[in-house]
Amino acid sequence: MRQEMIAPFLQSTQNMIEQMSGITVTADGGFYEEQSELVSLGLATLVSFAGKVKGRLLIDMEPSLAVAFAKAVNDENYTSDREFMVLMSAGELNNIVAGDANTLINNQFQLDLRLAPPVIISGVGSIIRIPKISSMSANLMTLQGKLKVNIAFEGSL
Amino acid sequence: MALQILLVDDSPMIHNLLRKVLVKNGHEICGDAKNGKEGVEMYKSLQPDLIFMDISMPIMSGLEAAAAIKKLNPDSKIIMLSAMGDEAVLTEARVIGINLFLKKPFDEYKIISAISSVA
């Protein structure tokens, strides 16, 4: 997968979390190829996009981070990552990250990528397997918990 | 001046954030629509001073809804809020006659400045 197609997603994840919540995000190493199914850290969101190519972005985070992010963004108190606004805030984060990264990619490569609504999956240890498509992951750290960005494009981009 | 504002977005988080900023600054939310179709219907019945409209929504997109509203009233004021902001989207928004395009995420300053520039 071409670096210039995946790097914007990592950069946007860091930028958008920091802009929206003030939570500092640091990269824990670079991208690596996922060799097996993903085991969720707690709250995973998936946004698919399609245009001249197809792809999807998965952002997976620990429950503590999901709650801290929603609290900071909405200025409201939450106790569980399964609360409605925590789930919705994680979904909106993925939508905003995917939109930001795809804006850069569309302007650079004219791929006309458009987003589908986010899918939100809650549960530590949930198995996420998306066959027939290879993907790249990067791990990120915050003081409030870990997260993973996983990006895939169909074909040999 | 206090404005009657219609919010059209499928994200409860965005409704929540916009409502807080707008009410704090003296405006009134006259309607909350979750998709473009609801937005057009609410526009007809509520006749708001200003609309905040998302693009990617189920049933009817924000661009389709904005085009329908501009057809009903070319002087309607629409601020588009979207995660996507590439050249193709911006061009389509300009053709429809969107008054202002804001890329998500936003903060209070961005929202209030946007209102001042179109109202």
Side-chain angles (χ1 to χ4, degrees):
Chain A
M1 229 176 292
R2 289 165 63 175
Q3 186 64 24
E4 58 267 44
M5 294 287 286
I6 58 174
F9 292 92
L10 182 58
Q11 193 62 56
S12 290
T13 302
Q14 291 179 275
N15 291 345
M16 293 303 119
I17 290 176
E18 289 187 15
Q19 277 183 41
M20 293 169 73
S21 68
I23 293 172
T24 303
V25 184
T26 53
D28 185 12
F31 274 106
Y32 59 91
E33 187 167 1
E34 281 292 346
Q35 300 294 341
S36 59
E37 70 262 6
L38 295 161
V39 180
S40 177
L41 296 167
L43 183 55
T45 58
L46 184 73
V47 169
S48 301
F49 31 87
K52 290 177 184 167
V53 297
K54 290 178 184 171
R56 55 120 184 104
L57 169 67
L58 185 139
I59 299 176
D60 185 23
M61 62 179 80
E62 290 185 326
S64 55
L65 176 56
V67 171
F69 175 78
K71 273 184 185 176
V73 170
N74 298 301
D75 194 23
E76 289 174 357
N77 201 28
Y78 308 110
T79 53
S80 164
D81 63 307
R82 298 197 171 201
E83 285 184 63
F84 178 74
M85 283 305 289
V86 177
L87 299 172
M88 293 299 111
S89 299
E92 186 61 25
L93 170 66
N94 194 325
N95 181 55
I96 289 173
V97 169
D100 187 58
N102 280 324
T103 294
L104 287 173
I105 292 169
N106 280 344
N107 284 339
Q108 192 171 355
F109 301 107
Q110 288 77 48
L111 293 177
D112 298 330
L113 296 167
R114 293 291 174 260
L115 309 182
V119 174
I120 303 161
I121 305 154
S122 174
V124 175
S126 297
I127 303 290
I128 303 166
R129 178 179 278 279
I130 304 171
K132 299 181 183 175
I133 188 165
S134 63
S135 69
M136 304 290 286
S137 287
N139 296 319
L140 300 163
M141 288 294 299
T142 73
L143 287 176
Q144 291 77 10
K146 291 186 286 190
L147 71 154
K148 175 184 274 196
V149 175
N150 175 264
I151 177 76
F153 277 100
E154 257 183 28
S156 55
L157 286 167
Chain B
M1 186 183 73
L3 299 175
Q4 297 279 316
I5 299 177
L6 171 63
L7 307 182
V8 189
D9 199 304
D10 60 339
S11 164
M13 189 192 98
I14 298 297
H15 277 267
N16 199 21
L17 295 181
L18 282 173
R19 177 176 289 278
K20 281 179 182 168
V21 168
L22 296 171
V23 169
K24 182 182 163 193
N25 284 274
H27 301 295
E28 188 178 328
I29 310 302
C30 61
D32 287 281
K34 292 185 282 298
N35 60 62
K37 188 166 182 283
E38 270 186 22
V40 175
E41 293 307 316
M42 284 191 182
Y43 176 79
K44 287 180 193 168
S45 60
L46 299 170
Q47 297 289 308
D49 301 309
L50 178 66
I51 306 163
F52 277 95
M53 178 87 76
D54 185 22
I55 289 186
S56 300
M57 292 182 286
I59 304 173
M60 180 189 273
S61 79
L63 289 169
E64 290 173 288
I69 290 168
K70 284 286 183 183
K71 199 171 172 184
L72 289 168
N73 177 11
D75 295 326
S76 56
K77 306 279 190 226
I78 304 176
I79 296 175
M80 208 108 223
L81 271 173
S82 177
M84 296 288 301
D86 58 79
E87 280 306 319
V89 169
L90 294 177
T91 300
E92 198 172 346
R94 273 194 293 269
V95 168
I96 289 167
I98 298 302
N99 299 82
L100 197 71
F101 192 101
L102 292 182
K103 200 165 160 300
K104 294 177 185 174
F106 53 82
D107 57 20
E108 182 171 349
Y109 176 77
K110 208 167 163 181
I111 293 298
I112 298 308
S113 301
I115 292 173
S116 300
S117 70
V118 303

